[in-house]
Amino acid sequence: MRVALVGPAHPYKGGGARHTTELAHRLRAAGHPTVVESWRAQYPAALYPGTQTVDEPEGEPYPDTRRDLAWYRPDGWWRIGRRLARENDLVVLTLFSPVQVPAYLGVLAGARSAGGERTRVVALCHNVLPHERRAVDVSLVRALLRRVDGVLAHSHEQAGLAEGMRGAGFDAPVTAALPPHLPATGAVVPPAPGERRNLLFLGIVRPYKGVDVLLRALAAGAPDDVTLTVAGEFWGGTAEQAALAGELGLADRVRLRDGYVPAEELPGLYAAADAVVLPYRTATASQNVWLAHEHGVPVIATRAGALADHVREDVDGLLCAPGDVDDLARALDRFYAPGAPERLRAGVRPVDPEPFWADYVDRLLTA
């Protein structure tokens, strides 16, 4: 089967670009000629206040990648869709944000005009709807999901949401667990013996990620000598988190490292942490548990979305309720019981990506 993936690839950064690229490599390895139709400009800068691209790729780039799509060039969307339909049997639209939907509708219209019923078009939904959504988001995503031939989602919850938006008369969405697509960080830094008395939050800082919950739990539940590093892009700046840390008496225990964290800095951040904390209020799927485990670090996570699926309770991490300061504080207190950090670190095992990817490719091709 000839496949076209429409989605971000290098020089775009982050998990979305890594997933699209890794999926292309995996499809080709499975015998399916694959191309990637990436973006020249994916979002207006006003809608994504962070850095969108990086200079160095975070994995092996995919050779058959074009970068013709631009949010500001609707005249090109239809033309790209026609080309993809003429050249491929399956076109996969990778959905991260409703901002992409107008372009995808244009691509879809072009594909339909050229390919008729021969070329199938599937929406691969990393998020069916945003965690922080606007009224127009539902209308945009519903318009896309009701026009594609199939939908793949990364959890049963997300598949159910997509099915409800598509309505009656459509094939049920296919569910496939998000497979590992970890950045190439170089060698893992061997941990020094003993405790570091430091916790790590890594990633974009947005309200649904629950950093405010973590700060309150740190003040309530962690020993007084435990520090926290929050590393990632802060949407809206660090002022809100810095003010909350000050109110809680944590100003000298919290480091706010604003800005995208390049892959080569990750080993040092993980080596300096006893645990990665994922205090998400809501989630779909994430690479952060696997990435921490790749570096030998246990995880304290909420049961939001699929986060808990990859944490073995009291073996390589601890779990708590989403949005619950007291429950997270109890988890932090449990984590720092005598001997617990080293015991949980000893239980960490890196993930084997192969079975996840084999299943994922099979399910995508049947979506």
Side-chain angles (χ1 to χ4, degrees):
M1 182 182 295
R2 296 170 301 169
V3 182
L5 302 178
V6 185
H10 179 73
Y12 283 94
K13 64 177 176 59
R18 291 195 298 272
H19 177 272
T20 303
T21 304
E22 179 76 5
L23 178 55
H25 283 295
R26 297 278 179 170
L27 284 163
R28 173 171 284 183
H32 304 284
T34 300
V35 297
V36 174
E37 190 72 40
S38 187
W39 294 82
R40 187 189 325 154
Q42 184 172 207
Y43 304 128
L47 298 180
Y48 192 99
T51 302
Q52 295 192 40
T53 60
V54 291
D55 295 329
E56 296 296 326
E58 298 176 319
E60 181 185 354
Y62 189 72
D64 291 332
T65 300
R66 299 180 62 149
R67 298 173 178 86
D68 292 339
L69 273 174
W71 64 266
Y72 56 81
R73 290 297 303 270
D75 56 308
W77 304 341
W78 186 82
R79 184 174 61 254
I80 289 169
R82 283 184 61 82
R83 171 169 52 78
L84 293 178
R86 287 195 302 265
E87 298 173 355
N88 298 280
D89 306 302
L90 173 65
V91 175
V92 180
L93 307 175
T94 61
L95 179 65
F96 296 93
S97 166
V99 177
Q100 299 168 302
V101 170
Y104 283 170
L105 290 174
V107 170
L108 183 57
R112 293 288 189 243
S113 72
E117 300 301 318
R118 183 185 65 80
T119 301
R120 287 179 59 81
V121 181
V122 169
L124 192 165
C125 298
H126 288 261
N127 294 306
V128 175
L129 288 171
H131 298 281
E132 299 147 4
R133 58 188 71 156
R134 306 159 301 167
V136 70
D137 293 337
V138 174
S139 299
L140 284 170
V141 174
R142 181 184 291 120
L144 178 66
L145 297 187
R146 289 185 174 181
R147 287 169 171 80
V148 295
D149 300 304
V151 175
L152 183 141
H154 290 149
S155 71
H156 293 296
E157 178 187 19
Q158 287 286 294
L161 178 59
E163 186 170 20
M165 296 181 72
R166 273 163 72 82
F170 293 95
D171 292 340
V174 171
T175 302
L178 183 69
H181 47 270
L182 305 178
T185 63
V188 173
V189 176
E195 297 176 10
R196 293 129 194 87
R197 312 300 282 181
N198 180 56
L199 300 168
L200 174 65
F201 173 94
L202 181 68
I204 295 175
V205 179
R206 298 178 65 176
Y208 79 89
K209 298 284 188 78
V211 170
D212 59 316
V213 177
L214 175 54
L215 291 174
R216 295 182 190 280
L218 182 72
D224 291 343
D225 63 336
V226 172
T227 60
L228 169 68
T229 300
V230 181
E233 291 179 315
F234 286 67
W235 283 35
T238 61
E240 183 177 346
Q241 289 77 20
L244 179 58
E247 292 170 12
L248 296 170
L250 300 173
D252 59 346
R253 294 171 57 191
V254 175
R255 175 194 173 209
L256 303 178
R257 187 259 188 229
D258 189 11
Y260 181 71
V261 181
E264 62 267 20
E265 292 185 22
L266 293 177
L269 284 170
Y270 285 118
D274 291 319
V276 168
V277 188
L278 306 176
Y280 292 27
R281 288 181 167 89
T282 63
T284 48
S286 172
Q287 298 289 296
N288 281 329
V289 174
W290 282 327
L291 188 55
H293 287 173
E294 188 75 13
H295 289 265
V297 181
V299 173
I300 302 168
T302 68
R303 295 185 179 87
L307 293 179
D309 294 348
H310 309 301
V311 176
R312 294 178 293 163
E313 173 73 8
D314 208 34
V315 175
D316 55 22
L318 299 173
L319 296 169
C320 61
D324 188 326
V325 172
D326 292 338
D327 203 26
L328 179 53
R330 283 192 289 270
L332 297 180
D333 184 60
R334 282 180 60 204
F335 182 82
Y336 277 108
E342 287 299 298
R343 176 177 60 81
L344 292 170
R345 183 182 287 270
V348 172
R349 299 289 183 273
V351 64
D352 177 5
E354 299 305 322
F356 287 94
W357 275 108
D359 180 70
Y360 193 86
V361 167
D362 286 345
R363 290 174 182 267
L364 174 62
L365 295 176
T366 62

